[in-house]
Every structure is written in C-alpha cells, then in structure tokens.
Amino acid sequence: MNESYDGIVVGAGPNGLAAAIRLAQAGLSVLVVEANETLGGGTRSAELTLPGFIHDLCSAVHPMAAGSPFFRQLDLEKFGLAWIEPGLPLAHPLSAGQAVTLDRSVATTARGLGGDGTAYERLMHPLISDWEILATEFLQPLLHWPDHPLKLARFGLRAMNSAVQLTSNWFQEERAKALFAGLAGHSFLPLETIPSAAFGLVLAMMGHAVGWPSARGGSQQICNALASVLRSLGGELQVNWRVAKLDELPKARVVLLDITPCQLLRIAGDHLPTAYAKRLSRFEYGPGIFKIDYALNGPIPWSAEACRRAGTVHVCGRFEEVALAEREVNEGRHPERPFVLLAQPSLFDSTRAPHGKQVAWAYCHVPNGSSVDMTRPMEDQIERFATGFRERVLARHTSNCPAIESKNANLVGGSINGGAVGLWQMLARPILSPAPYRVPRQGLYLCSSSTPPGGGVHGMCGFHAAEVALRDWFS
C-alpha cells in the first residue's frame, strides 16, 4: 500500500467499484478498502446450505446490471462475466395451475394477457423503442437537465402514478393486473402510492429490452469482473478493513464512501456541519426482507408449467393479494400471505448445484429491523402453487433483518435499496441537491445506493459520484 492516493473508495460493492474504475480510467491512483473478507457488497455468493450449492447472499437477478450504461462500456464479459438468460424472465402463478408471464417479446407477453394484450402493447412499445435513452435518463439524479425531455416526459406521464392508478387506467382483467402488481411490488411501497408504477414499468421495460439474467456461477462474478477491470487499470483493493474513522485511511485528495447515511454519521459525524448531519439523521430506510436460501432435491414442482421455465417467480396470486401484503408491511405488520420473490438460477446454470439438485433464493418484505421468522408463511405461499415443495428441501438457510445487516452494514434494518424510495426521498437522496454526492467536507463524497439513482446493481451511483469528484478536483 502507498502512503497516499489520488482517490480512496470505502466499500467494494458495485457502486464502490464503479466509482473506483471511473477514477482509475482518468489515470488516478486508487485504493478500495472493504470491510468484509470478500468483495461484492450486495453481489456476493457462498455455500450457505450444503457443499456444492452456491447461493447469492443478496441480489440474484440483474436486469439493471445488464442494462447499465456504465457497465456496458466496460465489456465485463472479457473479464469473466457471463450472463445466463432463463427461458422466461418472469412467471406469476395464479390459480388452477395457470400463470401469467413476462416474455422477452412484448407480443408474446401480450398474447398471454387476454383482452388486455393490446393495451399492454400500447403501454410498453414506446418504452422499449426508447429504452437506452430512458435508462440513461432515469439512472441519473432526478434533478438534472434531460437530454431527451419529450421522451422522458412521456415516460413520466405513465410512471408518476401508483400501481393501482396505472392498472385501473390501462387494464381490465386479472392477469395483466397481477403481472404488474408483482413488478411494482419490487418498490417496497404500498401499491396505492406514487411512484410504485415507475418501478413496475422500468422492470417490465428492462425485461423486454435486456432480460432478467443471472450471472453464471453466482452474483459474486459481477463484482469479480469489476475488480478485474479495476486491477487492469492499476487500482488496488484491500479486504478485511473496516473503517471506524476517516482518519484511519491513507492520505487522499478525494474519498468516496459506498456507505449509507447512518454509517457516514458514525465515521465522520464529528466533521460534518450540524444542519447536514440533521438531514442525514432523518433519512428513512424503508421495509426490510426475510430471506431463505434453499438446497433442493430437484426442481420446484410448480403446478403451472410456465413457472418451471422462469428465472424469477412472483408468488402471491391476484393483484389485491400483492397490494394487501405490501400495505401490511408498510403498516408495520407481517403478512400471513406475503409477496414472495423467488429465483431458481440453477435451472439454467449447472454450476450452481450438484448434478440433479437445485438451489432457490426467496425473500419477502417485512417491517424494517424485524426478527420474525417468516419461513412458514413463505413456504405456505410456495406450496399454494407448488404442492410438495417442502418435500424437495434438503437444507435451508434463513436470514432475518438483523442477520442481513450483519453480513452487509449497508442493508440497514434489512433494507436492501439503500433507503426508502418514496417520491420525496427519490428527489432528496440523501439531500435535495443537483449534486447530492458531495458531502460538505473537503474532498468527501457519498457514492452508495443512498444517492441517485438508488438501489439496484447498476453502478451508476458510484459512476456519478466519481464524475462529480473528477470535475471538482481533477479537471
């Protein structure tokens, strides 16, 4: 290690590594320090249940990574990353062995939506045709001058709604409404609130444009590839280095922090202006998750054939059931019938489990900080649509909110999005500013998912923070 660097990045998740790569691309000397013994943050993998079963500790399915404008520039495939596309990006089981699906093709998806097929095509086609433009626009701070204002405005007219409003305006039948409910449920918001519709539209658009792929060998491979890019540019990485105070770091012109506001207060609060610190202390983290990783003695026995071809399965049933589950969580309750998000990557990636076996990854939303064991209600939900599921379980690894936070300090109270994503906190993330990455201390920046554009494996929070630092200090 050197005594000084141009830039130091604290945290080696996708955003921290993206920030470090951008600095290194500019010819700067860069050091990344990571508290855990492995790189990756929310994109780590490990044998959590039995030997040979590779599970993802946090994220598992990556439409935003595959579509990230910055990641697409890096040619990560040359550094070992391989994307695996499932037969279907998404299935959502309903009753009597039926399921509604999101196919890569808009037309094929529409054919499965009955009388709402034409409306779905009218809703999605303009977004798909502009997806690269829109991805670049919405993966920036909301407070920016758009390069394509008319296209962004057209998206905004649809997106700045609640999922309830959008489905009421566009759809008449249960199948399309249920499909959109599951997509919007990724927001962790009640489906009656704005901007839950935006999350549904973005995920549907990315599903059609780039798919919902997983990384061959597990999500760890995404950050392994990013780390290889950084090393190829001369960057350095150090693991097992938990930063308690900024003074512990070597000298640097700029320091970028892939951490959330509560950690920033902990390690630098004494050096921050009082008004700024107060704003950080009011930052909200939103609901958490309860997660189960499964080692299975064969595929999940879904009654709907489409679910056996899907990389991701949304398990909850009708629109009203998803809406009720998300409303209960946001009211501080634990749903009896939770909305379960389930991935089954080993159906398409033989490296993830021993021959003839499978892994599954599943979580549901819970109140922030919850220690309640949701195993029974989650498995009851899966059994509704896959009778005999429990008989396939060889081993399970459960994680409540405190356990999730213990593995990754950025997941405060089990919140996996770097903070709540209500309309105000999307604008003011973590403060209302055209450059919210700047911390009011010389040379200090925040580059985590607690800054725009927020959660998801896309690296754009780190990229934008690095761009601001480069303009401030190296232009």
Side-chain angles (χ1 to χ4, degrees):
M1 230 176 22
N2 297 324
E3 292 184 359
S4 65
Y5 294 85
D6 293 317
I8 293 177
V9 178
V10 177
N15 283 311
L17 290 172
I21 289 169
R22 184 66 195 95
L23 296 179
Q25 286 176 330
L28 306 183
S29 59
V30 182
L31 170 68
V32 178
V33 299
E34 166 58 42
N36 293 297
E37 63 182 14
T38 55
L39 306 173
T43 55
R44 288 180 290 159
S45 305
E47 294 180 336
L48 296 177
T49 55
L50 300 172
F53 291 82
I54 308 300
H55 304 276
D56 293 320
L57 273 64
C58 188
S59 58
V61 181
H62 300 287
M64 302 307 293
S68 164
F70 185 54
F71 288 175
R72 288 165 71 88
Q73 295 174 17
L74 299 178
D75 202 3
L76 295 176
E77 288 77 8
K78 287 186 177 179
F79 294 88
L81 178 63
W83 290 118
I84 299 235
E85 289 279 358
L88 284 170
L90 169 68
H92 185 124
L94 298 168
S95 58
Q98 300 297 309
V100 60
T101 62
L102 180 79
D103 191 273
R104 284 294 301 271
S105 162
V106 175
T108 302
T109 303
R111 282 196 294 272
L113 298 179
D116 287 324
T118 300
Y120 185 84
E121 291 190 279
R122 285 194 293 109
L123 176 65
M124 295 308 305
H125 269 310
L127 306 183
I128 305 306
S129 62
D130 294 334
W131 82 267
E132 289 186 282
I133 290 170
L134 291 173
T136 300
E137 293 286 4
F138 62 65
L139 289 175
Q140 295 188 53
L142 286 185
L143 296 179
H144 77 279
W145 187 257
D147 293 326
H148 302 275
L150 294 180
K151 293 181 185 298
L152 188 60
R154 182 169 61 181
F155 172 75
L157 288 173
R158 292 166 167 80
M160 288 299 104
N161 283 291
S162 71
V164 170
Q165 290 169 324
L166 185 140
T167 54
S168 176
N169 291 340
W170 285 85
F171 304 133
Q172 301 296 320
E173 300 178 11
E174 179 179 293
R175 295 175 68 82
K177 291 183 177 183
L179 178 65
F180 197 81
L183 294 164
H186 284 254
S187 69
F188 286 79
L189 296 169
L191 300 193
E192 298 84 2
T193 62
I194 299 170
S196 57
F199 286 81
L201 289 173
V202 169
L203 287 173
M205 180 182 73
M206 300 305 287
H208 294 305
V210 299
W212 282 19
S214 59
R216 180 177 175 83
S219 296
Q220 181 75 53
Q221 303 308 316
I222 299 172
C223 274
N224 286 354
L226 290 169
S228 295
V229 173
L230 179 61
R231 292 188 182 101
S232 75
L233 296 168
E236 301 177 29
L237 298 112
Q238 292 282 336
V239 297
N240 290 317
W241 186 342
R242 188 172 298 276
V243 177
K245 294 292 180 183
L246 290 178
D247 298 341
E248 301 171 4
L249 296 170
K251 293 179 181 178
R253 295 178 69 183
V254 297
V255 175
L256 286 78
L257 304 171
D258 185 6
I259 61 177
T260 76
C262 75
Q263 293 136 286
L264 176 58
L265 288 170
R266 189 160 58 243
I267 71 173
D270 294 344
H271 302 282
L272 301 177
T274 301
Y276 181 79
K278 283 184 177 178
R279 280 187 284 179
L280 292 187
S281 70
R282 294 194 290 268
F283 189 79
E284 297 180 358
Y285 284 90
I289 66 169
F290 182 89
K291 179 171 177 284
I292 310 177
D293 292 284
Y294 291 101
L296 302 173
N297 189 25
I300 296 174
W302 300 107
S303 59
E305 184 273 336
C307 295
R308 304 171 203 165
R309 298 185 285 115
T312 301
V313 183
H314 287 163
V315 188
C316 198
R318 296 177 296 107
F319 182 100
E320 292 78 10
E321 294 180 83
V322 180
L324 174 60
E326 295 308 286
R327 190 183 316 124
E328 288 178 322
V329 169
N330 279 271
E331 291 172 351
R333 293 181 285 157
H334 295 80
E336 185 63 26
R337 285 191 162 185
F339 170 45
V340 178
L341 297 95
L342 185 147
Q344 39 192 14
S346 57
L347 289 180
F348 315 98
D349 180 3
S350 61
T351 70
R352 300 292 297 272
H355 180 70
K357 312 300 183 190
Q358 302 289 333
V359 296
W361 168 103
Y363 73 82
C364 72
H365 302 157
V366 293
N368 189 277
S370 169
S371 58
V372 171
D373 186 340
M374 293 292 288
T375 302
R376 182 195 58 77
M378 284 179 66
E379 293 187 355
D380 284 350
Q381 284 285 70
I382 299 170
E383 284 274 351
R384 281 178 66 192
F385 305 102
T387 303
F389 165 74
R390 285 188 175 96
E391 297 171 9
R392 298 283 173 95
V393 176
L394 297 173
R396 58 175 64 81
H397 179 277
T398 63
S399 301
N400 60 18
C401 293
I404 287 166
E405 185 175 355
S406 72
K407 295 186 181 78
N408 184 344
N410 277 4
L411 309 184
V412 178
S415 173
I416 62 174
N417 279 332
V421 291
L423 186 57
W424 172 250
Q425 201 158 276
M426 287 180 69
L427 285 167
R429 194 171 184 89
I431 64 169
L432 186 64
S433 167
Y437 315 96
R438 289 193 188 103
V439 175
R441 175 182 168 174
Q442 192 174 40
L444 193 61
Y445 299 84
L446 198 61
C447 69
S448 71
S449 58
S450 298
T451 64
V457 178
H458 44 64
M460 297 305 295
C461 308
F463 171 80
H464 291 308
E467 288 282 289
V468 173
L470 287 170
R471 289 196 300 269
D472 288 351
W473 291 91
F474 303 100
S475 60

